[in-house]
Amino acid sequence: MNNRLLNRRTILKAGLMGSAASLVMSSSAFASSCGDRVVRIGGMAAPDTMNPFATWGAFWPIAFTYDFLVGVDAQRHTDRKGFAKEWSVAEDDLTWTFKIWPGMKWSDGKPATARDAAFTYNYLRDSIGTPDELNAGWNNTGGLELVESIAALDETTLQIVTKSPTRWPVENVTMIVPEHTWKDVSYADARATFRNEPPLVGTGPMIVAEFQQGQFARFTPNPYFRTGQPATAGMIFNFFNTADPIAQGLKSGSLDYGFYLTAAQWTDLSNDSDIKVNESRVEQRNFLAFNTASGKGSGSTKALQDPAFRDAIGYAIDQKTIVERAFRGHADLGGGLIPPVMADYYSDLGDIRRHFDLTEAGRRLDDAGYRDVNSDGIREDKEGNGFQLELITGNPSGNMEIPVAAVQLIAGWLGQIGIPLSVTQLDSGALNARTAAPAKGGGGWDLLIESSWISPTPHEMLTMGTSHHVRNHSYWTNEKFDKLLSDADVTVDLKKSQDLVDKAARLIYTEAPYIMLCYPTLLEARRKDCFEGWGTQDIMSMYSYYPFDRLRPIN
């Protein structure tokens, strides 16, 4: 017992200190969890601010501090409610009523009411059309164009009236913030410079008390949490940019939980009797994107703007080999825009699906006018220039790692058909800058291997293809696709919604601004020795603060 506790107090050296989280030696991030009852977790994340209006990259860690009004988990699990205790929609399918938990308080002890929820949404909504519209971060104006009015009828009743039928009121993942700490923050500051320094004020079970960028976030239990103060003494979330130190921390006992493990690490940990591993399907999509921009931000060749060129490249991508070799089977084969976990909307697109065939890829490139004219092994574009494409890649903050082997396989296949690549690996910050909209300084690359993690809603499924969304990293525009998304946004009938999503998925598959490589499964693990109350289907939710509202130390 003493040896184990001593090990849990040992700071991870060597591999850990050379990883993304260069933690100072005096940090308590890797101290004993059993001894001080502080939960220590690790994941790949790179938050740059605690301000949900200014960044997409801070879901981890602020999701443990802020509540969604409803969100994903509350619709899937009766015991994982958010800011609203219950909700209903009137017969007109327009008027939504949300009952807020009575007597709920913010972590600073002040009342948390329907007025705070109304403030959060109207704060966003009133910024629409202004020079500083709040469209740059997790809390953004997307979907609010569907709303007619948002009002607090009393302390515990929020009413949202929409212009047409839509499930946006329950499906949006806006984090509810306290009016008394945000009302004096200007839109210009909220979308840029305001950092929301700790300690934060939230209604979640764990409150961010300290944030060290690139290292960790430290949490204290919320003494006013609506089901009672959590039984643990707090939490530390350690940030990494690779999974290696996560696996090492789990084995040494310096981490209680880790997620985004690689297949090899997960397999190794599964043989440790002190560790419980888990695998589950999630909504991440790993993809190859083409820079389809013309003019500012365009790539090195106009071929990238040609659907025939992109379609031909699709025949040179072997999704089966990517899953088997790069992911060791821990992924589903890539196909359309919708991953298999979204069973209500998923289709394998079998009737139009491409198959891996390098000869067919070459034939289609020839037919499209991209031939190897001088027989040097490199094809030329229609302007007579030999192809030499830049492929950029990296892992967005909060997403699972894409194995280098996947990038190497793709570079090899394209080289075999006369399309040589140079590969540039970027950290999450540089990746965000390069893939930003051309109007904001992004672009200039040719191909992109990246990932996207979405909420399981029709709107989120299709945002990669809409010309109006910051996460459309191919810069592809198509009026028909935009119309399908707009129609899906105002459709509540499941069958009609399924039809619209399927049409959109088929359209973007045929136009091929993206090639879906695979849908990776989440590989996670926890130790068994310090805490109980972890989840079973999902050890830790990817959509809320579960189970940190109910973990208990093992005495």
Side-chain angles (χ1 to χ4, degrees):
M1 181 67 170
N2 290 337
N3 288 338
R4 177 175 63 79
L5 288 176
L6 177 62
N7 184 44
R8 301 210 71 176
R9 294 188 181 97
T10 302
I11 294 180
L12 298 184
K13 301 177 181 178
L16 264 155
M17 297 305 289
S19 75
S22 300
L23 299 174
V24 293
M25 295 298 289
S26 61
S27 170
S28 63
F30 292 110
S32 166
S33 294
C34 291
D36 62 14
R37 305 195 308 163
V38 173
V39 187
R40 288 167 173 82
I41 70 175
M44 286 187 292
D48 52 355
T49 175
M50 296 294 94
N51 177 358
F53 297 91
T55 182
W56 287 94
F59 179 84
W60 308 122
I62 60 177
F64 301 108
T65 293
Y66 293 120
D67 266 306
F68 306 124
L69 182 63
V70 179
V72 176
D73 262 10
Q75 295 181 80
R76 290 178 173 177
H77 307 277
T78 57
D79 63 338
R80 300 188 192 180
K81 298 292 179 62
F83 202 82
K85 181 180 181 181
E86 56 192 42
W87 56 91
S88 61
V89 61
E91 292 184 1
D92 63 4
D93 284 332
L94 302 176
T95 305
W96 292 79
T97 302
F98 299 86
K99 299 302 292 185
I100 308 306
W101 295 91
M104 185 165 59
K105 294 182 178 181
W106 293 102
S107 55
D108 62 2
K110 295 184 177 180
T113 73
R115 302 187 196 287
D116 294 291
F119 164 79
T120 301
Y121 288 118
N122 285 322
Y123 184 65
L124 289 164
R125 187 165 173 257
D126 292 345
S127 79
I128 294 176
T130 69
D132 297 307
E133 181 174 342
L134 297 175
N135 55 10
W138 185 273
N139 277 13
N140 62 82
T141 56
L144 283 163
E145 71 279 1
L146 306 172
V147 173
E148 182 67 36
S149 64
I150 302 173
L153 304 185
D154 55 43
E155 296 292 294
T156 60
T157 308
L158 178 74
Q159 183 185 81
I160 298 179
V161 180
T162 61
K163 297 175 182 178
S164 54
T166 174
R167 289 188 58 79
W168 181 88
V170 291
E171 291 180 342
N172 78 87
V173 287
T174 300
M175 295 180 178
I176 305 301
V177 300
E179 180 178 11
H180 63 277
T181 63
W182 284 89
K183 64 182 180 180
D184 295 325
V185 180
S186 69
Y187 293 147
D189 288 343
R191 62 170 285 132
T193 59
F194 183 67
R195 292 186 57 80
N196 196 27
E197 297 289 356
L200 305 191
V201 178
T203 51
M206 291 289 162
I207 305 302
V208 177
E210 180 183 2
F211 170 55
Q212 295 295 331
Q213 187 170 344
Q215 298 181 33
F216 64 89
R218 180 177 61 84
F219 303 77
T220 56
N222 182 355
Y224 299 103
F225 187 62
R226 57 185 170 271
T227 60
Q229 179 173 321
T232 63
M235 182 171 76
I236 295 175
F237 192 132
N238 299 284
F239 308 133
F240 303 102
N241 65 3
T242 77
D244 291 339
I246 302 172
Q248 294 170 24
L250 285 163
K251 287 182 72 69
S252 72
S254 298
L255 292 176
D256 299 292
Y257 169 82
F259 59 117
Y260 298 171
L261 298 165
T262 68
Q265 294 161 351
W266 185 86
T267 300
D268 180 50
L269 292 169
S270 69
N271 296 317
D272 191 321
S273 61
D274 290 326
I275 293 174
K276 169 71 174 177
V277 299
N278 187 58
E279 177 179 15
S280 57
R281 279 177 166 169
V282 292
E283 290 83 1
Q284 180 167 318
R285 305 170 291 189
N286 294 354
F287 57 83
L288 171 71
F290 298 83
N291 180 347
T292 69
S294 59
K296 186 175 182 179
S298 62
S300 66
T301 173
K302 292 182 180 179
L304 299 166
Q305 303 165 32
D306 183 357
F309 175 80
R310 303 192 299 259
D311 175 66
I313 296 299
Y315 283 87
I317 307 297
D318 187 354
Q319 283 98 337
K320 186 172 184 291
T321 296
I322 289 173
V323 168
E324 291 175 350
R325 294 188 187 178
F327 290 85
R328 300 193 183 189
H330 294 284
D332 291 303
L333 271 63
L337 207 56
I338 316 303
V341 70
M342 298 179 179
D344 284 342
Y345 293 91
Y346 173 71
S347 168
D348 67 1
L349 304 180
D351 56 323
I352 60 172
R353 191 165 182 151
R354 304 177 191 91
H355 56 278
F356 175 63
D357 188 333
L358 292 177
T359 301
E360 178 66 11
R363 185 190 68 77
R364 287 175 178 261
L365 286 170
D366 287 343
D367 290 348
Y370 305 103
R371 299 181 175 86
D372 180 6
V373 176
N374 55 12
S375 301
D376 64 352
I378 298 176
R379 293 176 182 272
E380 283 76 38
D381 62 18
K382 294 180 181 180
E383 286 71 43
N385 301 311
F387 282 106
Q388 179 60 58
L389 303 184
E390 180 194 20
L391 185 154
I392 64 173
T393 185
N395 296 299
S397 175
N399 287 9
M400 289 182 281
E401 188 174 6
I402 299 175
V404 174
V407 180
Q408 294 171 334
L409 286 168
I410 291 169
W413 291 321
L414 267 60
Q416 291 181 58
I417 59 171
I419 310 288
L421 306 180
S422 63
V423 178
T424 303
Q425 180 78 34
L426 303 171
D427 63 29
S428 62
L431 184 69
N432 289 339
R434 291 291 304 274
T435 58
K440 296 183 178 180
W445 48 271
D446 298 316
L447 302 176
L448 164 69
I449 292 180
E450 198 193 7
S451 62
S452 169
W453 193 314
I454 53 175
S455 298
T457 68
H459 179 86
E460 286 292 305
M461 294 177 204
L462 304 180
T463 50
M464 277 179 64
T466 177
S467 57
H468 309 302
H469 204 281
V470 295
R471 283 184 284 181
N472 178 356
H473 288 170
S474 71
Y475 313 136
W476 179 70
T477 61
N478 184 287
E479 291 183 1
K480 185 176 180 181
F481 187 94
D482 288 346
K483 179 64 165 59
L484 288 167
L485 174 58
S486 296
D487 290 346
D489 281 343
V490 295
T491 300
V492 294
D493 180 80
L494 178 60
K495 191 174 186 309
K496 291 179 181 179
S497 180
Q498 289 170 328
D499 182 60
L500 291 166
V501 170
D502 185 65
K503 287 178 179 177
R506 288 173 177 275
L507 173 60
I508 198 170
Y509 186 91
T510 303
E511 290 283 314
Y514 301 95
I515 305 295
M516 292 296 147
L517 305 177
C518 67
Y519 316 105
T521 53
L522 173 68
L523 302 179
E524 57 181 344
R526 67 169 177 87
R527 291 191 63 86
K528 302 175 182 178
D529 48 358
C530 289
F531 300 97
E532 59 186 2
W534 299 95
T536 52
Q537 292 181 334
D538 52 347
I539 297 177
M540 182 182 90
S541 172
M542 295 293 108
Y543 288 107
S544 72
Y545 43 66
Y546 173 86
F548 298 100
D549 56 336
R550 64 197 73 183
L551 281 189
R552 303 174 302 278
I554 297 175
N555 296 323

